[in-house]
Amino acid sequence: LFLVAELCCGFFVILILGNFWFLAVLYLLWLYLDWETPCRGGRRSQWVRSWTVWKYFREYFPIHLVKTSELSPNHNYLLGFHPHGVLVAGAFGNFCTGPSFQDLFPGLTPYLHIMPIWFGCPFFREYIMSAGMVSASKESVSYVLNNEGGGHASIIVIGGAEESLNAHPGSLTLNILKKKGFIKMALKHGAHLVPVFSFGENEIFKQVANPRGSWLRNVQERLQKIMGFALPLFHARGVFQYSFGLIPYRQPIHTVVGSPIPVKRNLNPTTEEIEQLHALYLQKLRKLFEEHKRNYGIPEHKSLIFE
């Protein structure tokens, strides 16, 4: 994402400084008129989502989507994705590319919510919206979940940017105990909650050691609060060697979609109701992990850690 965003911004700067400044002006006008689109369902393109390059992307790791329960298209759903990892590769590969989700869950349209800051990047915003990404703002989530006929699925990476700082191989620490906004949104819209755990998400990169309290972690957390996104110092393999580089390791990713938690619409949920549903969600997420961890190489004594 960073690389593509930089290329898009660089292209925009070239338009401004070159002889095509008028194109930059026209695009800025378009940007002004189209500013709210990422909060109103985006503008997906089945052509972009079906690019052959995404097939190779999914097969590289490989990335798989695992279904454990039916999701009726008569309802709207809020899928909580865990863990963030460095790239959120499982979420992108399964919900933004290819036919896997629609084949397993016919009648449902997935919307992957990402940080609003990305939609301020010229041209890059068009690319990510084409893939089915929309803003993670409250307005955007409400727009998706307000679909009266059902059939919409909001995918939210619950741990957010700060959880990427925990993305070390073998790490099972989730930043979730204070994350309750998604619970409130589910209650307000009567969207059924679905826990999703992506096994292997933390294995595709190594990260420089940054334990809590270290100077590196303090700097990263401070920058994350200022900029809105985290900067994990990660590395993996190169093109022709496996010792160092930025190409992710070829480690399988299995994104397991759990069973839905029925949620009744409640426009004004109390703190107690939010806490109760949050506790139930944590219970279902832990159960999902425990039931499937043996299938994906997690030792029996390993369990999720909620922070």
Side-chain angles (χ1 to χ4, degrees), residues 114-177:
I114 65 174
M115 291 184 296
I117 189 174
W118 293 114
F119 296 97
C121 181
F123 300 114
F124 181 67
R125 70 190 296 274
E126 320 303 335
Y127 160 69
I128 55 179
M129 278 197 290
S130 295
M133 299 185 212
V134 292
S135 172
S137 67
K138 292 180 181 179
E139 177 188 356
S140 177
V141 177
S142 292
Y143 185 91
V144 173
L145 297 180
N146 264 337
N147 194 44
E148 291 186 3
H152 281 188
S154 280
I155 297 98
I156 301 178
V157 185
I158 304 300
E162 57 267 39
E163 192 174 86
S164 66
L165 300 178
N166 291 328
H168 296 273
S171 174
L172 295 173
T173 300
L174 303 182
N175 190 331
I176 192 173
L177 291 181

Side-chain angles (χ1 to χ4, degrees), residues 99-247:
S100 297
F101 186 83
Q102 282 85 356
D103 288 347
L104 292 177
F105 304 103
L108 285 183
T109 302
Y111 296 82
L112 179 59
H113 296 270
I114 65 174
M115 291 184 296
I117 189 174
W118 293 114
F119 296 97
C121 181
F123 300 114
F124 181 67
R125 70 190 296 274
E126 320 303 335
Y127 160 69
I128 55 179
M129 278 197 290
S130 295
M133 299 185 212
V134 292
S135 172
S137 67
K138 292 180 181 179
E139 177 188 356
S140 177
V141 177
S142 292
Y143 185 91
V144 173
L145 297 180
N146 264 337
N147 194 44
E148 291 186 3
H152 281 188
S154 280
I155 297 98
I156 301 178
V157 185
I158 304 300
E162 57 267 39
E163 192 174 86
S164 66
L165 300 178
N166 291 328
H168 296 273
S171 174
L172 295 173
T173 300
L174 303 182
N175 190 331
I176 192 173
L177 291 181
K178 296 181 180 179
K179 303 284 186 175
K180 297 172 184 175
F182 75 103
I183 298 292
K184 190 173 183 179
M185 292 298 283
L187 282 165
K188 282 190 171 184
H189 297 285
H192 295 194
L193 279 168
V194 182
V196 178
F197 195 87
S198 196
F199 292 89
E201 196 74 43
N202 285 339
E203 317 306 315
I204 62 176
F205 288 104
K206 292 180 181 178
Q207 192 173 166
V208 175
N210 59 343
R212 290 194 181 279
S214 66
W215 69 269
L216 177 57
R217 185 60 168 258
N218 290 337
V219 170
Q220 289 174 320
E221 291 178 344
R222 199 165 301 171
L223 288 175
Q224 190 269 323
K225 290 179 181 179
I226 295 172
M227 299 184 298
F229 56 88
L231 292 173
L233 297 180
F234 61 90
H235 61 89
R237 53 164 290 187
V239 179
F240 301 111
Q241 44 77 29
Y242 292 85
S243 57
F244 187 82
L246 295 179
I247 298 176

Side-chain angles (χ1 to χ4, degrees), residues 10-299:
F11 179 67
F12 186 71
V13 171
I14 291 173
L15 289 181
I16 294 176
L17 299 179
N19 295 325
F20 302 98
W21 58 266
F22 61 94
L23 293 177
V25 172
L26 287 176
Y27 183 79
L28 286 175
L29 177 60
W30 161 257
L31 194 62
Y32 174 76
L33 296 174
D34 194 58
W35 190 255
E36 295 299 322
T37 299
C39 295
R40 298 183 179 277
R43 187 170 45 248
R44 70 181 56 224
S45 165
Q46 194 55 42
W47 175 67
V48 173
R49 290 168 59 88
S50 301
W51 280 352
T52 302
V53 67
W54 303 137
K55 176 177 178 289
Y56 293 122
F57 171 77
R58 294 191 303 273
E59 291 178 350
Y60 172 81
F61 296 96
I63 295 175
H64 302 282
L65 187 65
V66 181
K67 175 182 178 179
T68 64
S69 177
E70 295 292 338
L71 297 182
S72 170
N74 297 324
H75 300 290
N76 294 317
Y77 298 89
L78 195 160
L79 278 64
F81 184 92
H82 313 270
H84 185 288
V86 171
L87 284 185
V88 205
F92 178 76
N94 286 311
F95 304 122
C96 295
T97 73
S100 297
F101 186 83
Q102 282 85 356
D103 288 347
L104 292 177
F105 304 103
L108 285 183
T109 302
Y111 296 82
L112 179 59
H113 296 270
I114 65 174
M115 291 184 296
I117 189 174
W118 293 114
F119 296 97
C121 181
F123 300 114
F124 181 67
R125 70 190 296 274
E126 320 303 335
Y127 160 69
I128 55 179
M129 278 197 290
S130 295
M133 299 185 212
V134 292
S135 172
S137 67
K138 292 180 181 179
E139 177 188 356
S140 177
V141 177
S142 292
Y143 185 91
V144 173
L145 297 180
N146 264 337
N147 194 44
E148 291 186 3
H152 281 188
S154 280
I155 297 98
I156 301 178
V157 185
I158 304 300
E162 57 267 39
E163 192 174 86
S164 66
L165 300 178
N166 291 328
H168 296 273
S171 174
L172 295 173
T173 300
L174 303 182
N175 190 331
I176 192 173
L177 291 181
K178 296 181 180 179
K179 303 284 186 175
K180 297 172 184 175
F182 75 103
I183 298 292
K184 190 173 183 179
M185 292 298 283
L187 282 165
K188 282 190 171 184
H189 297 285
H192 295 194
L193 279 168
V194 182
V196 178
F197 195 87
S198 196
F199 292 89
E201 196 74 43
N202 285 339
E203 317 306 315
I204 62 176
F205 288 104
K206 292 180 181 178
Q207 192 173 166
V208 175
N210 59 343
R212 290 194 181 279
S214 66
W215 69 269
L216 177 57
R217 185 60 168 258
N218 290 337
V219 170
Q220 289 174 320
E221 291 178 344
R222 199 165 301 171
L223 288 175
Q224 190 269 323
K225 290 179 181 179
I226 295 172
M227 299 184 298
F229 56 88
L231 292 173
L233 297 180
F234 61 90
H235 61 89
R237 53 164 290 187
V239 179
F240 301 111
Q241 44 77 29
Y242 292 85
S243 57
F244 187 82
L246 295 179
I247 298 176
Y249 294 114
R250 297 191 70 176
Q251 296 289 339
I253 296 174
H254 293 86
T255 303
V256 183
V257 180
S259 302
I261 303 170
V263 177
K264 291 185 178 180
R265 190 174 188 183
N266 184 347
L267 294 177
N268 295 293
T270 64
T271 301
E272 183 180 359
E273 289 169 331
I274 293 172
E275 293 285 351
Q276 287 178 350
L277 185 55
H278 186 261
L280 177 60
Y281 179 86
L282 294 183
Q283 177 185 331
K284 295 294 185 180
L285 174 59
R286 188 181 294 280
K287 181 181 178 183
L288 177 70
F289 174 81
E290 292 295 331
E291 287 178 346
H292 294 273
K293 67 180 183 181
R294 301 169 193 81
N295 299 332
Y296 306 115
I298 307 294

